[in-house]
Amino acid sequence: MTSHRARLEDQDELLHRQVHPHMWKVVEGRPSSSAFRPSKKDDGQLSVARGSKVSAEEAYRRYVARGLSSSGVWSTVAEVTAVGLVAYDDPLPDDDAHAFIDFRDHKRGEIEHISNKLRSFACARLSYRPEGDAP
Amino acid sequence: MNFNLYYGDLMSSPAAKISIGSHPVGGRQRLDLRPSSPQQTAAVVTIGAAPFRLASLAAKTAMPGVGPPPPLDVQRARILGIGVVTEGRISQFFKVLSQVTEVGMPPPYVYVDDEGLVAEWSFPGHEVSLHSEAPEGLWAHVSDMKADTYKERHLATDGSGPAEFVGWVQDLVTPR
């Protein structure tokens, strides 16, 4: 399925992940790990935006322009590789920076554990949070 | 078992089979979840965004022979999102929450996502979660972030699953 999609190899490239307000833990001041794992409807593909094509702020603007909600952008980099995952370029008609992190070969327990690790990485590099958005 | 809860405005969607009501009780908002008929076993719960209020939550199911779970006020938690849950799953979920609370677990972060109910706890070096998903049922997960390992258990309605999960969290909350 991914044969026509280019694997992202640049370990320094940022991958911006939008965090839905539902996944923002107010008291802890950080997102839920569920923001960093695909839900069933995602078919094992966690959407991100490529940092080589858009800034974190621009990724946020594109996201909300599609009518979606976000509490901000958290970015992950070589950590995706470090946790045993692969990211693929996956441009969309309305977002050429779209990519996804591939969870499809992992079992649910692994996915949960990996998402905890990705959340920890991402929280260390919060890259954009819109003013006045904090719930 | 009492917690406090931050929650958003709640609405039942046209497809909802569990009605959600919110009314003031003793100066606080009380939330009731209940099936609108015994034949209805699933719900689509749509929960809006801000403003968030300190409130109490009472979740009630009407499953014959099961009875309602105890009133649940979830402190410092938010129930948000869109979820599909069955009344049986709600009952199981709150029953396990009661069990882990009794051994000293702090208030969880609770939310509804598109797979069901989720409760999360964070401890130094550990992340704990309880998922109620359709059709799989209850799953418990503990990530040990320092050792880079995890434990996972499907919690059957009866059997050793819930007791094993309670044992896991007891190890986390017990001072060493």
Side-chain angles (χ1 to χ4, degrees):
Chain A
M1 249 182 108
T2 56
S3 59
H4 63 292
R5 292 171 174 143
R7 176 174 175 159
L8 302 184
E9 303 283 5
D10 181 358
Q11 298 297 300
D12 292 328
E13 181 172 10
L14 294 168
L15 299 175
H16 307 305
R17 171 66 182 167
Q18 303 297 329
V19 175
H20 193 278
H22 294 177
M23 302 304 174
W24 175 249
K25 302 168 81 167
V26 174
V27 174
E28 294 181 24
R30 63 175 185 164
S32 164
S33 62
S34 57
F36 297 94
R37 62 175 174 265
S39 65
K40 288 176 182 171
K41 64 178 171 49
D42 296 323
D43 192 28
Q45 301 176 25
L46 185 75
S47 290
V48 292
R50 296 188 59 182
S52 63
K53 294 188 176 181
V54 289
S55 67
E57 184 172 355
E58 175 60 19
Y60 170 82
R61 287 176 179 161
R62 290 187 184 188
Y63 190 77
V64 297
R66 298 203 295 268
L68 303 170
S69 298
S70 174
S71 278
V73 177
W74 282 259
S75 306
T76 58
V77 209
E79 294 98 342
V80 169
T81 302
V83 298
L85 298 176
V86 176
Y88 292 94
D89 191 26
D90 184 38
L92 301 175
D94 60 348
D95 186 2
D96 64 345
H98 183 264
F100 69 86
I101 301 171
D102 193 354
F103 282 76
R104 287 175 293 186
D105 291 335
H106 295 269
K107 299 176 181 176
R108 59 157 294 135
E110 295 172 330
I111 291 173
E112 181 104 7
H113 185 58
I114 289 170
S115 69
N116 281 320
K117 292 197 286 187
L118 286 178
R119 187 260 307 273
S120 296
F121 288 138
C123 285
R125 63 170 81 255
L126 168 62
S127 53
Y128 179 71
R129 186 145 163 77
E131 289 184 16
D133 184 76
Chain B
M1 182 177 66
N2 287 311
F3 306 90
N4 295 316
L5 166 71
Y6 285 102
Y7 72 98
D9 293 334
L10 304 183
M11 304 168 290
S12 57
S13 77
K17 294 180 180 178
I18 288 183
S19 63
I20 301 173
S22 176
H23 54 275
V25 175
R28 306 172 74 190
Q29 290 289 318
R30 184 181 182 89
L31 181 76
D32 295 326
L33 301 174
R34 69 181 74 211
S36 52
S37 87
Q39 291 75 36
Q40 295 174 336
T41 58
V44 178
V45 181
T46 303
I47 304 173
F52 302 102
R53 296 164 291 186
L54 185 62
S56 65
L57 168 71
K60 298 177 180 178
T61 66
M63 280 194 76
V66 174
L72 182 73
D73 302 347
V74 183
Q75 186 164 35
R76 297 174 181 174
R78 296 165 63 196
I79 297 184
L80 291 167
I82 299 171
V84 179
V85 292
T86 66
E87 60 189 84
R89 298 279 186 255
I90 292 173
S91 181
Q92 291 173 21
F93 182 81
F94 288 149
K95 183 178 179 182
V96 174
L97 282 189
S98 299
Q99 291 174 318
V100 297
T101 300
E102 288 170 1
V103 298
M105 280 290 268
Y109 168 80
V110 180
Y111 62 93
V112 185
D113 66 11
D114 59 357
E115 297 172 2
L117 286 160
V118 184
E120 293 182 359
W121 297 263
S122 291
F123 291 90
H126 292 82
E127 302 288 341
V128 181
S129 59
L130 177 69
H131 301 256
S132 178
E133 300 176 1
E136 296 91 341
L138 281 182
W139 286 91
H141 182 101
V142 177
S143 278
D144 185 330
M145 304 306 289
K146 292 177 181 173
D148 195 11
T149 59
Y150 68 89
K151 295 185 286 191
E152 189 179 51
R153 183 74 153 86
H154 181 250
L155 310 184
T157 303
D158 49 17
S160 60
E164 185 172 356
F165 178 49
V166 171
W168 292 351
V169 301
Q170 201 159 18
D171 287 343
L172 292 176
V173 300
T174 302
R176 297 178 184 278

